[in-house]
Amino acid sequence: MPTWNISLQNSNSPMMEQLTFFHDHMMMFLILITSIVGYLIINSTTNSLKNRFILQSQEMEFIWTIIPAIILISIAFPSLRLLYLMEETLKPLMTMKILGHQWYWSYEYPDFNNHTIDSYMIPLTEPKQIRLLDVDNRMIIPMSTQIRLLISSNDVIHSWTIPSLGIKVDAVPGRLNQLLTTVKRPSILYGQCSEICGANHSFMPIVLESINMKSFKKWISNI
């Protein structure tokens, strides 16, 4: 089924696909409610006639109580389902540690000799780069692999965000936040810190590159 994708990036993970479907589900109800309420407002302001059976009607009271309740239930169950899907359901095959700094990110591979890389934004003077989004060292992960992300901060509160994966996690000093994600296909995904963390808050982008497992093993063995 095609999706509306209004103000949303193309999804690249199962969770983001579910969030997109839930967005479309909500938009369907919002448009329906807005249309009906708008029609009733216009009709009541342009019509001077009154019906004494509508002014005190038990049937009308019953209808406008039951219909909103049904709509709320139709919204609540998909929302609760998404919350449970976000929890840990599968055993991760790989773990990544993400640490926020003022103002860059560091990525550690604990399953591969704790190798750590620092990811800084490429200076604006460098040619052939996406302004405020390119970095010198990307976070490399294998695609179609369940990955556990452990996110924290070394100084102030940051927020590690990649919209196309449906990820937005606060990096809080002294606290370890955890989530699971899977990238479905080879891609380069961009994000930014989404928590105002100081003077250079706008200059600590996130770049995640997903590659096939064979290429990942070759890359990790050469660093």
Side-chain angles (χ1 to χ4, degrees):
M1 185 184 79
T3 56
W4 299 0
N5 281 336
I6 300 175
S7 72
L8 299 176
Q9 295 185 11
N10 293 330
S11 59
N12 206 343
S13 70
M15 179 52 60
M16 187 57 190
E17 287 182 352
Q18 295 299 319
L19 290 172
T20 302
F21 292 146
F22 181 68
H23 166 268
D24 296 346
H25 180 72
M26 286 288 299
M27 289 295 295
M28 179 180 65
F29 285 111
L30 288 175
I31 291 176
L32 178 63
I33 293 171
T34 303
S35 301
I36 293 176
V37 173
Y39 168 77
L40 292 176
I41 291 174
I42 294 174
N43 187 59
S44 62
T45 55
T46 57
N47 192 344
S48 60
L49 301 179
K50 296 181 180 179
N51 190 323
R52 64 187 180 89
F53 296 107
I54 293 181
L55 295 178
Q56 295 182 357
S57 173
Q58 295 297 326
E59 291 80 7
M60 186 65 68
E61 294 280 353
F62 180 80
I63 291 173
W64 67 40
T65 301
I66 291 299
I67 292 180
I70 294 174
I71 293 175
L72 289 176
I73 292 173
S74 302
I75 294 173
F77 279 106
S79 178
L80 292 174
R81 176 176 172 271
L82 272 178
L83 288 177
Y84 280 102
L85 287 176
M86 289 179 180
E87 297 295 327
E88 296 183 39
T89 54
L90 297 175
K91 183 178 180 180
L93 299 177
M94 176 180 165
T95 298
M96 286 288 305
K97 292 182 180 179
I98 302 169
L99 195 63
H101 305 266
Q102 289 183 315
W103 286 272
Y104 65 96
W105 297 97
S106 62
Y107 304 113
E108 182 179 341
Y109 295 80
D111 299 325
F112 302 94
N113 297 323
N114 292 320
H115 177 74
T116 303
I117 58 175
D118 293 331
S119 180
Y120 290 86
M121 187 188 77
I122 296 178
L124 298 178
T125 55
E126 293 288 331
K128 296 182 180 180
Q129 54 124 350
I130 301 178
R131 184 178 181 272
L132 300 181
L133 285 179
D134 268 337
V135 297
D136 53 0
N137 293 309
R138 297 170 177 171
M139 174 180 166
I140 309 294
I141 62 172
M143 68 177 187
S144 302
T145 302
Q146 192 81 3
I147 297 175
R148 176 171 54 192
L149 303 178
L150 303 176
I151 303 169
S152 187
S153 173
N154 193 45
D155 35 52
V156 299
I157 298 178
H158 302 278
S159 185
W160 200 78
T161 305
I162 298 183
S164 58
L165 295 182
I167 293 177
K168 185 180 184 297
V169 184
D170 286 340
V172 182
R175 178 174 178 177
L176 202 62
N177 287 328
Q178 175 177 296
L179 61 87
L180 297 179
T181 189
T182 302
V183 183
K184 296 181 60 177
R185 51 187 176 270
S187 55
I188 298 176
L189 309 176
Y190 295 91
Q192 290 178 303
C193 177
S194 300
E195 184 75 33
I196 298 176
C197 55
N200 291 332
H201 158 69
S202 301
F203 303 102
M204 51 182 304
I206 302 161
V207 182
L208 184 151
E209 182 176 356
S210 63
I211 55 180
N212 59 58
M213 183 60 75
K214 182 178 179 181
S215 300
F216 176 78
K217 290 180 179 179
K218 182 179 180 180
W219 175 81
I220 202 71
S221 62
N222 291 332
I223 58 177

